[in-house]
Every structure is written in C-alpha cells, then in structure tokens.
C-alpha cells in the first residue's frame, strides 16, 4: 500500500498526558498537511510543510501543539498536556507541490478522558 | 465564518433516485476537490475541478465547477446504497498565497435500499 499512513489509528489518553502521532506521506509528495476533524464538521486546517519547512500554522494550533517533519519525510504531531477538547480525528494528507489534489490517511482518533 | 457552505447538510433518499448537493462560497478558488468520507476513515478524493464551467463525470457522479470558480455541485444519478457517506468539498487558493485546502461542513448522504 503506497498511500498515506497514519499511526496509531486510535489513541485513548488521560487528560494532562502527552501524545504523539505519526504520518508517513506518499513517498514522492513534498507537501504534508495536518487537519483536525470533530464530529459533524469538515476537517480544519492545522499546519502544513513543504519538505522539512513548516510554512503555515493555523490559530487552532495552540502552544501545546507541535509538528515536525525532519528530513522532509514522515511527520509527527505532538499534543502536550492534553485536554478533553483535543478529542478529535487527526488527519494527515500529502500532495505534490503545485498539484491541486491532497490525499488523506485514515486518521488517528484521539479520545481524551 | 465558514468559507465554504454545503447544502443540504443531511439528505436521505431512496435507492434509484437522483440528487444534487451544492458547495457555495463568496471566494474564488483556484481549484476545488470533492471527497467522500466513511465513518472512522479519512476522506477519499473523488475529483478535482480547476477551470470555471468545467464538468467532470465519474460513473454516475457528475461534478461541475461554477463559471466564476466560487461554487460547485455534485449530481448523483440513480443513487445506490454504496453512495452513502459524508461528501466534502474543499477549495484551494494557491494563487492567493494560500496553499491549504479549506473544507465545507459536508453533506451526509444516506441511500435507503
């Protein structure tokens, strides 16, 4: 399978704990995006990378959130001191620069209890 | 403020009927994508439209991009239970210095056998 891969698929954590999610994009794609989706809503943009450079961050990305893409390959999204409001589906997508289409992974469902 | 408004939000119809869902905005987009999302999964890309007035067909699905590139529609002919899902439109505005996709809130479609 050469699509976008996200791990883990599901994560349950206690409030206050830190969590980290991983995304492996389609290998030749140089752009990588993180989105968050809550129940009944469309995905909301969090941040995106072109190669290893983080080019844009949403206001939704508070100081507790950090994303990295070392060497322009896989990416990680870390949430520190999780809150119940962080419960959501976290989606990763990748695309070629200058291409219109983004391809999504299956997402990581985070539940903060 | 939601940049992309989708209507209807919910639609439940009998198998074999036709339907149209709409995606509207006051902003111009360089391209617009339609995705379908199943529960617990990431969005799957259906089509990308780029040129104002463009029409694309994918089997029983017909997608149209408005002449002014501000709106789009998805028409399904002879709906089948397998068409059930959340349909999301997403616009990109790279010509305006905004690389990310902005999603609508989605149309949840249920086809009743």
């Amino acid at each position: 399978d050469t699509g976008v891969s996200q791990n883990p698929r599901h994560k349950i954590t206690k409030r206050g704990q830190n969590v980290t999610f991983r995304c492996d994009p389609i290998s030749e794609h140089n752009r990588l995006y993180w989105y968050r989706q809550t129940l009944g809503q469309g995905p909301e943009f969090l941040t995106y990378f072109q190669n290893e450079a983080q080019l844009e961050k949403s206001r939704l990305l508070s100081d507790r959130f950090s994303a990295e893409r070392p060497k322009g390959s896989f990416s990680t999204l870390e949430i520190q001191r999780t809150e119940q409001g962080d419960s959501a589906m976290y989606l990763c997508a990748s695309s070629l620069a200058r291409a219109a289409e983004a391809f999504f992974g299956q997402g990581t469902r985070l539940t903060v209890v | 403020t939601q940049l992309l408004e989708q209507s209807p939000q919910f639609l439940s119809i009998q198998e074999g009927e036709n339907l149209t869902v709409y995606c509207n905005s006051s902003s111009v987009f360089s391209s617009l994508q339609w995705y379908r999302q199943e529960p617990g999964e990431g969005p799957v890309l259906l089509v990308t439209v780029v040129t104002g007035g463009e029409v694309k067909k994918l089997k029983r699905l017909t997608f149209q991009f408005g002449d002014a590139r501000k709106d789009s529609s998805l028409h399904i002919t002879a709906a089948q239970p397998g068409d059930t899902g959340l349909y999301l439109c997403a616009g990109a505005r790279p010509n305006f210095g905004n690389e990310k996709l902005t999603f609508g809130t989605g149309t949840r479609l249920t086809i009743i056998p």
Side-chain angles (χ1 to χ4, degrees):
Chain A
D1 186 348
T2 57
V4 178
S5 177
Q6 291 189 245
N7 288 288
R9 290 290 312 276
H10 304 274
K11 178 71 177 178
I12 300 174
T13 191
K14 291 184 178 179
R15 189 175 53 187
Q17 297 294 305
N18 299 344
V19 293
T20 300
F21 310 140
R22 177 179 171 125
C23 172
D24 288 273
I26 294 171
S27 59
E28 62 268 27
H29 286 185
N30 48 13
R31 285 200 177 147
L32 187 148
Y33 306 82
W34 285 99
Y35 285 81
R36 182 172 69 187
Q37 185 177 25
T38 52
L39 205 59
Q41 300 294 319
E44 296 174 296
F45 170 79
L46 292 178
T47 188
Y48 96 93
F49 294 82
Q50 179 153 320
N51 300 314
E52 65 275 11
Q54 188 172 17
L55 297 186
E56 187 175 348
K57 293 197 292 186
S58 162
R59 288 173 297 171
L60 292 174
L61 213 65
S62 76
D63 291 345
R64 296 184 298 105
F65 287 71
S66 62
E68 294 181 345
R69 193 184 181 196
K71 303 178 182 177
S73 55
F74 72 92
S75 177
T76 57
L77 177 68
E78 181 184 16
I79 309 174
Q80 295 182 325
R81 304 180 303 281
T82 52
E83 302 173 356
Q84 286 188 318
D86 297 331
S87 295
M89 173 78 91
Y90 289 84
L91 295 163
C92 175
S94 70
S95 71
L96 288 167
R98 299 179 182 273
E101 300 94 349
F103 296 87
F104 282 81
Q106 293 178 302
T108 295
R109 166 75 63 189
L110 173 66
T111 303
V112 182
V113 298
Chain B
T1 301
Q2 191 67 37
L3 199 56
L4 279 166
E5 299 287 343
Q6 288 190 242
S7 62
Q9 280 191 284
F10 301 93
L11 183 58
S12 183
I13 63 170
Q14 294 287 335
E15 180 178 359
E17 293 184 354
N18 302 334
L19 67 110
T20 303
V21 299
Y22 300 93
C23 174
N24 295 298
S25 175
S26 58
S27 300
V28 175
F29 291 97
S30 302
S31 67
L32 195 137
Q33 286 80 51
W34 284 92
Y35 292 82
R36 182 169 67 209
Q37 187 177 24
E38 305 286 343
E41 301 292 328
V44 175
L45 179 66
L46 297 175
V47 79
T48 299
V49 286
V50 179
T51 305
E54 183 176 4
V55 176
K56 281 192 174 179
K57 292 194 174 186
L58 185 67
K59 297 183 180 178
R60 294 176 293 100
L61 278 60
T62 302
F63 304 85
Q64 184 161 9
F65 202 12
D67 290 341
R69 293 185 293 148
K70 291 183 179 181
D71 52 78
S72 181
S73 63
L74 158 59
H75 182 80
I76 301 179
T77 303
Q80 298 178 1
D83 297 327
T84 293
L86 178 67
Y87 287 82
L88 295 160
C89 65
R93 308 180 74 202
N95 292 350
F96 300 87
N98 187 338
E99 304 288 355
K100 64 180 184 285
L101 285 177
T102 300
F103 280 83
T105 51
T107 293
R108 187 162 298 282
L109 175 64
T110 303
I111 308 302
I112 303 165

